[in-house]
Amino acid sequence: MSSDNPDIRQQVKEQSGSLKRLQTLIPGLRGYRKSEDVRISDELLRNQVADRLLQAKGNLEQLRRQMAAAGDYTNLTLVGSAISQVQQFAGELRHSEQGYSGLAPSISITEETLNRLYDYDYAFVQSAYDLLNSTSSFNYDPTAPNAVASFLNGVIKQVQGLKQKWELRIEAVEGILQK
């Protein structure tokens, strides 16, 4: 894993320390620990994506400062809208409801179902990195306001695509819960 794409497995292990200690005392709690690891992984994933979105927001704020310094006010409303959408979605992710595994969960997720959820997660996280990369690599040219508008419309579409991927994941999880 690269520094831009950190491996969160070690963080999951570290944050589940108390539970692992409990499992050594009560061996039958292994299933509970697995569920707890999934819950912790979900939180880490959401926080990682929210962090990338806030980095993208910082890139957009830098663009807005460059535009203002150049006296280019043609797309300030559009960049403000993009910043707002990115910030709002980052907040939704960071503060969305966490699952509770419980000692006797009412659902059982098979390995196949879990792998499908990982596919949704991968597409979701990859989209967040794509958004961050596009906001990092854009070079502002004050003589080309149409290029700025095109870029910002693309950013807004990326945020909408990211939200759709998140909603698909939520629908998949809810489909599992109804079984």
Side-chain angles (χ1 to χ4, degrees):
M1 296 271 160
S2 70
S3 62
D4 291 340
N5 193 7
D7 186 348
I8 61 173
R9 288 177 286 194
Q10 184 60 36
Q11 291 178 23
V12 170
K13 287 180 183 176
E14 290 170 4
Q15 293 188 13
S16 62
S18 297
L19 191 55
K20 283 184 178 179
R21 287 192 301 270
L22 181 62
Q23 182 186 5
T24 63
L25 299 174
I26 306 170
L29 289 180
R30 183 169 185 260
Y32 176 70
R33 198 197 85 216
K34 279 185 170 180
S35 298
E36 200 59 26
D37 283 351
V38 169
R39 188 185 64 77
I40 291 169
S41 297
D42 178 60
E43 179 183 6
L44 289 172
L45 181 139
R46 287 184 291 105
N47 284 332
Q48 288 281 330
V49 171
D51 289 346
R52 297 305 168 266
L53 291 178
L54 293 179
Q55 289 174 332
K57 176 185 160 252
N59 293 335
L60 293 170
E61 289 172 337
Q62 175 64 24
L63 172 61
R64 180 170 57 186
R65 284 190 292 275
Q66 290 173 333
M67 292 168 62
D72 176 8
Y73 306 114
T74 55
N75 293 300
L76 283 180
T77 301
L78 194 55
V79 74
S81 175
I83 289 169
S84 175
Q85 290 183 39
V86 169
Q87 182 175 4
Q88 179 186 12
F89 190 49
E92 286 176 26
L93 287 175
R94 196 174 303 278
H95 302 292
S96 66
E97 184 177 348
Q98 254 185 5
Y100 174 69
S101 60
L103 284 173
S106 59
I107 61 167
S108 176
I109 298 177
T110 64
E111 188 86 21
E112 181 183 333
T113 303
L114 194 56
N115 284 333
R116 277 188 281 134
L117 288 176
Y118 290 149
D119 289 340
Y120 286 117
D121 287 347
Y122 180 79
F124 177 64
V125 173
Q126 185 61 52
S127 294
Y129 276 94
D130 291 345
L131 175 65
L132 178 59
N133 289 335
S134 71
T135 60
S136 299
S137 62
F138 182 74
N139 292 316
Y140 173 62
D141 179 359
T143 63
N146 288 338
V148 173
S150 176
F151 164 72
L152 291 170
N153 285 322
V155 166
I156 290 169
K157 283 182 183 172
Q158 283 183 297
V159 173
Q160 291 168 347
L162 198 55
K163 286 180 178 179
Q164 287 174 343
K165 286 179 174 66
W166 178 249
E167 289 168 3
L168 283 174
R169 183 186 188 269
I170 297 297
E171 287 174 14
V173 170
E174 288 174 351
I176 292 168
L177 291 175
Q178 292 172 358
K179 291 181 180 176

